[in-house]
Amino acid sequence: MSKSTKHLLVGSVESYSGKSATILGIALQLVDQGLDIAYGKPLETAADSAESQNILESTHDNDVRFIAETLKLDDSKVRPTILTLDETVIQKRMDGSDKEDYRENLGQYLEASGSDCVLLEGPGTLSEGQLFGLSLQQAAQVLDAKTLIVARYHSALVVESVLEAKKQLGDRLLGVVINDVPDAETDRVKETVCPFLEKQGIPVFGIMPRNSILRSVSVGELVKQLDAEVLCCPDRMDLMVESLTIGAMNVNSALKYFRKAHNMAVVTGGDRTDLQLAALETSTHCLILTGHLPPRDTVKQRAEDLEIPVLSVDLDTLTTVEIIEKTFGQVRLHEAIKVACIQDLMSEHFDTQRFIKAAGLELTLA
C-alpha cells in the first residue's frame, strides 16, 4: 500500500442519517482540492440492494453505483462490498455454518494503492455488523482508519449519541457532521451543541441545514414504491415531491391545506373529482388516485395541460400514505439536482480545510 493512502470511514449513530450524501459531498470537495479518491462500502444491507434482481449477484448497492458514477471512478477505484447483511446470513452466522473471517477480508482493502484517500461508508449504526467483525469500531481498528460520524439532528440530545461514538472509537473519532438541522434550531446548535462537543475533543466539521430538496423524492421513485400506473405525463417522472397531502375532506377545507404546501403529492380517492381538480390548481407535482379508479377525462386533460403526472394505485388511502411516508424516510441521492444541492451545502457549511488537516491529507496536496 502506498504510504500516502489514507482510509477514512464515515459512519452514523442511526440509519438514514445522510452518510451517503456526506461522503459524496466530501469526495467532491477533496477532488476539487486535487486529491485522488477511491470509495467503497464494506457492509451493505439487503434493503440497500433490493433493486437488484438477485441480491447474491449484487457487488455494489445502488448508492455505491451512483456515487462511483457521479465521481467518475473507474472499477479500480471502487472497493468491493464484503457482505450483504440479511436474515439468512445472520442465521448462518449464529448456527455456525458461516465461519468466514470478514475482518481478514476487510484487511485486503489495505493492499490496494494508488489513491490519496479511500472513503469508506460504514454501517448504519454503531453496532451493525458486529456479529461479523464489521462494526464501525471493528472496521476502524482493522484499517487503522480515522472515522467521521454523521449525526442527524433531532434535539440537543444528539450529543449523547456522539459521546457514545467517542467512547467506542476513542482517538479514531475524527469528528462529527451534524446533519438536517432545522432553521429554528441552528442558533442552539451553534451556540450550545457545537461548543460542548468541541470541549469534549470532538471537532464539528459541519452543521448542515435541513433542505427540502434532499428530503424530497422523485415521482418516478413513488411510482416504483407504489407499483403505480402512470395515467399521464410519463416524461415528468423527474419532478421532485417535497411534501404529502391527503385529500379526504370537503373541497373548501382541502384547499386551505393545498395552498400551504409546496411541490406536493396529493393522495385522494379516484372518485373525488372535485379534490383532484382543486389539487391541480395548487403546488402539486403528483396526483395519486387510490382504489384503482380512473379519473374523469376533465381531470386527465387538465393534468396534461399543466404537465402534472397522475398515478393510479390499487391500494387504499392509508396503505398508500404509509408507503409514501416510508419512502420519504429513506430518501436516496439518485437525482442530479440533489448532487448539485449537496455541492452547494458542503461548500457553504463544511470546513473542508479543517477536515483535510485533521485527516492528515494536507501533505498529499499538489
Side-chain angles (χ1 to χ4, degrees), residues 59-275:
T59 305
H60 307 297
D61 76 5
N62 295 293
D63 283 345
V64 172
R65 287 194 297 271
F66 181 80
I67 290 175
E69 290 170 1
T70 301
L71 296 174
K72 297 181 173 59
L73 301 179
D74 60 42
D75 290 344
S76 67
K77 300 294 185 181
V78 183
R79 302 295 185 256
T81 293
I82 293 172
L83 178 67
T84 297
L85 196 61
D86 62 14
E87 289 288 340
T88 300
V89 300
I90 291 173
Q91 181 62 42
K92 288 181 178 179
R93 194 67 167 184
M94 291 192 297
D95 66 24
S97 58
D98 177 11
K99 302 182 184 298
E100 186 77 22
D101 186 345
Y102 292 101
R103 287 169 61 91
E104 182 178 338
N105 294 346
L106 182 62
Q108 295 174 12
Y109 275 39
L110 295 170
E111 299 174 6
S113 61
S115 298
D116 297 312
C117 176
V118 183
L119 285 171
L120 298 173
E121 183 168 348
T125 68
L126 295 177
S127 61
E128 188 176 87
Q130 185 168 305
L131 185 62
F132 304 89
L134 295 175
S135 71
L136 191 63
Q137 179 188 23
Q138 291 164 328
Q141 182 179 21
V142 170
L143 297 171
D144 191 24
K146 293 289 187 178
T147 302
L148 176 72
I149 288 292
V150 181
R152 183 180 294 277
Y153 185 85
H154 299 292
S155 72
L157 290 175
V158 69
V159 299
E160 292 194 333
S161 56
V162 176
L163 289 174
E164 177 60 27
K166 174 68 172 178
K167 179 181 177 181
Q168 291 192 24
L169 295 166
D171 291 340
R172 296 191 192 280
L173 179 61
L174 190 65
V176 63
V177 170
I178 303 177
N179 192 32
D180 197 31
V181 180
D183 289 343
E185 293 291 314
T186 300
D187 288 344
R188 181 201 298 268
V189 174
K190 289 182 177 179
E191 296 169 7
T192 304
V193 174
C194 287
F196 175 81
L197 291 175
E198 294 278 357
K199 287 179 182 178
Q200 308 306 310
I202 304 173
V204 180
F205 294 109
I207 302 170
M208 313 307 292
R210 177 166 294 179
N211 182 276
S212 59
I213 293 176
L214 293 183
R215 293 168 63 87
S216 65
V217 297
S218 67
V219 174
E221 182 67 18
L222 293 179
V223 170
K224 180 173 63 179
Q225 297 297 329
L226 294 167
D227 192 22
E229 179 185 359
V230 181
L231 301 181
C232 75
C233 306
D235 57 333
R236 300 287 280 164
M237 296 296 99
D238 58 343
L239 285 176
M240 303 303 295
V241 174
E242 299 176 14
S243 61
L244 170 65
T245 303
I246 305 169
M249 57 199 79
N250 68 66
V251 67
N252 290 329
S253 297
L255 273 171
K256 295 178 182 178
Y257 290 98
F258 292 166
R259 288 168 179 161
K260 293 178 182 178
H262 183 65
N263 295 342
M264 61 184 169
V266 176
V267 177
T268 191
D271 57 346
R272 293 301 306 271
T273 302
D274 54 345
L275 288 174

